[in-house]
Every structure is written in structure tokens, then in C-alpha cells.
Amino acid sequence: MITVTEATATAATLKRLSDEGVSIWLDDLSRKRIESGNLAELVENRHVVGVTTNPSIFQAAIGSGEGYEEQLADLAVRKVTVDEAVRMMTTADVRAAADILRPVFETTGGRDGRVSIEVDPRLAHDTDATIAEAKQLAWLVDRPNVMIKIPATEAGLPAITEVIGLGISVNVTLIFSLERYRAVMDAYLAGLEKAVAAGIDLAGIHSVASFFVSRVDAEIDKRLAKVGTDEALALKGRAALANARLAYEAYEEVFAGDRWTALAPSGANKQRPLWASTGVKDPSYKDTLYVDELVAPGTVNTMPEATLNATADHGDIHGDAVTGGYAQARADLAAVEALGISYDEVVAQLETEAVAKFEVAWEDLLEAVSTSLRGKGVERA
């Protein structure tokens, strides 16, 4: 049983993080979380001001069928396809979560109170299909505080520009490299420029750029361990933070540049960096590592609930942990390269693996729903 004093202390840690300019978003969603009141409780008492989803999250939530039985029965009666059934269930959850977060959306002027839903991961390398899917998802959810997630693949970049240009808010996901991150920011600015030309109010367009963290350490640490020298082992757990800190430096540069300066008077919003994949993969690391060490103003940290709880319990929030560390970050990545570990190779591999992982999760979800519908007399199309 948590005492009032303990609850106040944990809330204070999360409040301190929020006061440093970090928006806390939950990296999870399920119907059970919505209907039990858990999400509303996290918003009220844990400073959660947004929600992100992805194919793996929906696969875990819907794959079990728990909480979805009635909707599955209704969809079976209508004889919908499996793809349509999955979209009906996922958008229903996102719509319900968006309604819970709507007061946050209103009080923050649209900055927070956001719920993200991803385009079909099988479309990651198809620009036109991604654009069409993004438009369809925005229409299906039909909430002003939805964000459509588009992967930062080469095909995703022009899709980001087009969708932003239509006035649809976007969460750009699966960013691993600094070069690709700069391309994402360029795509966002190009979208804002298209929106201006179309007479769309820029004040209503928001975006975050989801820069993945822990997976970078997981891959580079593995390669450092293979090198095995004291020098190599001393670099473990440093590459992901270095990568993220240099991403923030790039963010500061781009959103102080001429293109941004031209757009700002029209009410444009900066595309905030979002730290994703913030649960540690190595159990020897402190479980709040990618929260404590990535505190910076104007950022979002989307956390699994375990990381959120750990931060509330024993997070060490000691102010801006990013902007003073650019020189050390460059030195850390250079030291990794000097050991023969190719940064470009690692980040390219991580993007490929991430897209494939989401494709597998989506296919698993489709198969689970197909099995449920088949039991009710509907075959997968």
C-alpha cells in the first residue's frame, strides 16, 4: 500500500521532470487501460500528457482479445475483412484515449494531450500509400489531438512533407541517425511551407520527431563487447546518449535557422524531439538512464509504464542534462568509430530491423484477429 507521503514524493519527481520542460507521454495503450480508468489516473496523478502506440503495442493489447470481445463479435456479424477489423479496433482505442486527453490538449494549446497512431508498417517504403493511409487514419480517428505516425524511411520523408502540408499533425518515428533526423526536420519545414501556400493555419499543426535511444546502445554495446578491450568496454552505455544529445544540438540549430525564422511569424510550432525506446535493454544499467540523462527543455519522453514508475520512484532529475554535453558526445561517437564500429552501418541496420519488427507485429496481430473472426465465421481476406 502506497502512503499519501510516498505518492506525493513520486508525483513530485515526475512534476520536476515536467517543470524542466519534458512532456511525459506513455508508450502503451489498451482497451483495458482505457476502460479501467488507469489512463485517466496516469493523466491526473502521474503527469502523463500524451500517449504513443505502435504495431507491437497493439499486437500485445488486441492479440489477447481481452476487452475486445464485443467489438469482435459486431465486426464478425458485419463480415468485415481482417484489415478493416484491426483498423476499427485500433482507431477506437486511439479515439477513446484522445477523448481522455482532450482537456490536456485544450489547456496546452495543442502542444500536448496527443495520441499517436501509426500507418500500416507494410507501407514504410511506399510514399503514396503512406500519404493515403495517413489521411484515412486522421479521418477515422476524427479527433484534433491525434498524431499520425510516419516512419522516417527514405520513402517516408516526402510523405511527411505532404501530410504536414495538408494540416495533419505527424509523429515521425523510427529515427536512428543524425543525418536522417536533419532530413526529417527539413521534411517538416517543407510541409509547413506547403501549408502556408495552401492557406492552412500553421498554429494547428504540431509534430514530434521520435529519436530512438536504447536500441542504439543495445547494438553498439554488443559490438564493443566483441572488441573486448578496456577502452571498448569503457564506452558501453554512452553511444545512445551521445547520439540523442547531438540530435538535440541539431534541433537547436535548425529551429534557429532562416527557414524557421520565416515560418514562426505565421504561428508555426517547432517539431519537438521525442525520446523513444527509453526502457533500458541492459539490466545492468539504471532503469531510468534514458530519462535522467536526456532532460532538456522542449522535449518529449515517451516511456513504457515500467520506466514511468521507476522514474517516479527513484528518478534523478537534476536539470538540463543535454545542452552542455555536445563536445563529449562527439568524442564518444568518435571513439566508437575509432574502434572500427561504423556508426552509419549501425543506424542503417537498426532502421531496417525496426521496420521489419513492426511488420511482423502487424502480421501477428492480423493473424490473431483472423483467428478470432474465423471462429465467428469470417475468413481473412
Side-chain angles (χ1 to χ4, degrees):
M1 175 77 68
I2 296 176
T3 68
V4 173
T5 301
E6 289 171 332
T8 301
T10 58
T13 304
L14 295 172
K15 182 179 186 301
R16 189 154 58 249
L17 181 60
S18 298
D19 288 346
E20 291 291 342
V22 179
S23 292
I24 300 169
W25 290 9
L26 178 70
D27 192 29
D28 190 55
L29 187 64
S30 68
R31 192 151 302 176
K32 181 178 180 181
R33 189 182 290 282
I34 292 166
E35 294 182 345
S36 68
N38 171 263
L39 178 58
E41 189 274 332
L42 292 176
V43 172
E44 183 176 358
N45 298 320
R46 291 268 170 152
H47 297 275
V48 169
V49 293
V51 169
T52 51
T53 67
N54 62 47
S56 296
I57 285 171
F58 280 130
Q59 192 276 329
I62 300 175
S64 67
E66 185 180 1
Y68 298 90
E69 297 88 351
E70 183 178 349
Q71 188 176 15
L72 275 166
D74 290 342
L75 292 167
V77 169
R78 292 174 52 211
K79 301 189 184 302
V80 302
T81 66
V82 173
D83 283 78
E84 184 181 355
V86 167
R87 273 311 183 204
M88 290 300 102
M89 288 187 285
T90 57
T91 54
D93 282 356
V94 169
R95 187 161 46 250
D99 288 343
I100 292 169
L101 282 154
R102 184 65 175 269
V104 177
F105 173 78
E106 299 290 352
T107 58
T108 62
R111 179 180 176 85
D112 286 310
R114 295 283 179 170
V115 184
S116 298
I117 184 170
E118 191 151 348
V119 298
D120 187 327
R122 297 170 297 180
L123 308 178
H125 302 295
D126 186 329
T127 301
D128 291 341
T130 294
I131 295 167
E133 172 93 342
K135 291 161 63 177
Q136 175 74 357
L137 284 174
W139 179 82
L140 278 172
V141 176
D142 192 28
R143 294 294 186 272
N145 49 331
V146 69
M147 270 189 171
I148 308 303
K149 292 180 80 172
I150 297 177
T153 57
E154 289 186 7
L157 295 173
I160 293 160
T161 295
E162 184 65 26
V163 173
I164 289 291
L166 294 171
I168 297 171
S169 294
V170 173
N171 177 341
V172 183
T173 188
L174 300 183
I175 308 171
F176 296 94
S177 79
L178 295 168
E179 180 182 7
R180 185 58 58 83
Y181 178 45
R182 285 186 178 273
V184 165
M185 290 187 285
D186 285 345
Y188 174 63
L189 293 175
L192 292 180
E193 289 159 355
K194 285 177 69 78
V196 167
I200 295 172
D201 182 7
L202 298 190
I205 305 173
H206 287 259
S207 183
V208 294
S210 295
F211 201 85
F212 278 55
V213 184
S214 66
R215 296 186 197 183
V216 174
D217 269 345
E219 181 58 34
I220 289 182
D221 283 359
K222 181 172 64 177
R223 299 183 184 212
L224 289 169
K226 191 173 181 180
V227 174
T229 64
D230 289 345
E231 180 187 8
L233 297 179
L235 288 167
K236 290 183 67 177
R238 292 166 65 175
L241 293 175
N243 201 37
R245 285 170 178 152
L246 293 179
Y248 192 82
E249 181 185 41
Y251 158 76
E252 289 185 308
E253 291 173 1
V254 169
F255 288 98
D258 292 342
R259 289 179 76 188
W260 170 251
T261 301
L263 289 162
S266 298
N269 299 291
K270 292 180 181 179
Q271 182 187 56
R272 290 183 292 168
L274 178 151
W275 310 129
S277 184
T278 55
V280 298
K281 301 288 192 284
D282 187 332
S284 70
Y285 294 160
K286 185 182 178 185
D287 51 5
T288 62
L289 175 66
Y290 303 124
V291 179
D292 297 348
E293 297 301 325
L294 289 176
V295 176
T299 59
V300 178
N301 195 308
T302 184
M303 311 177 199
E305 189 169 18
T307 304
L308 175 70
N309 290 339
T311 301
D313 181 65
H314 52 264
D316 180 17
I317 309 305
H318 49 272
D320 185 345
V322 173
T323 58
Y326 301 148
Q328 185 62 54
R330 275 189 284 275
D332 286 345
L333 290 187
V336 169
E337 286 272 1
L339 292 170
I341 298 171
S342 169
Y343 173 87
D344 290 341
E345 180 184 308
V346 167
V347 293
Q349 175 184 319
L350 290 173
E351 179 184 304
T352 299
E353 290 175 349
V355 171
K357 178 183 177 182
F358 281 170
E359 287 178 351
V360 169
W362 196 251
E363 287 291 348
D364 288 347
L365 173 57
L366 291 170
E367 186 55 39
V369 173
S370 176
T371 300
S372 296
L373 293 177
R374 203 160 47 236
K376 296 173 172 58
V378 178
E379 293 295 328
R380 175 173 176 178

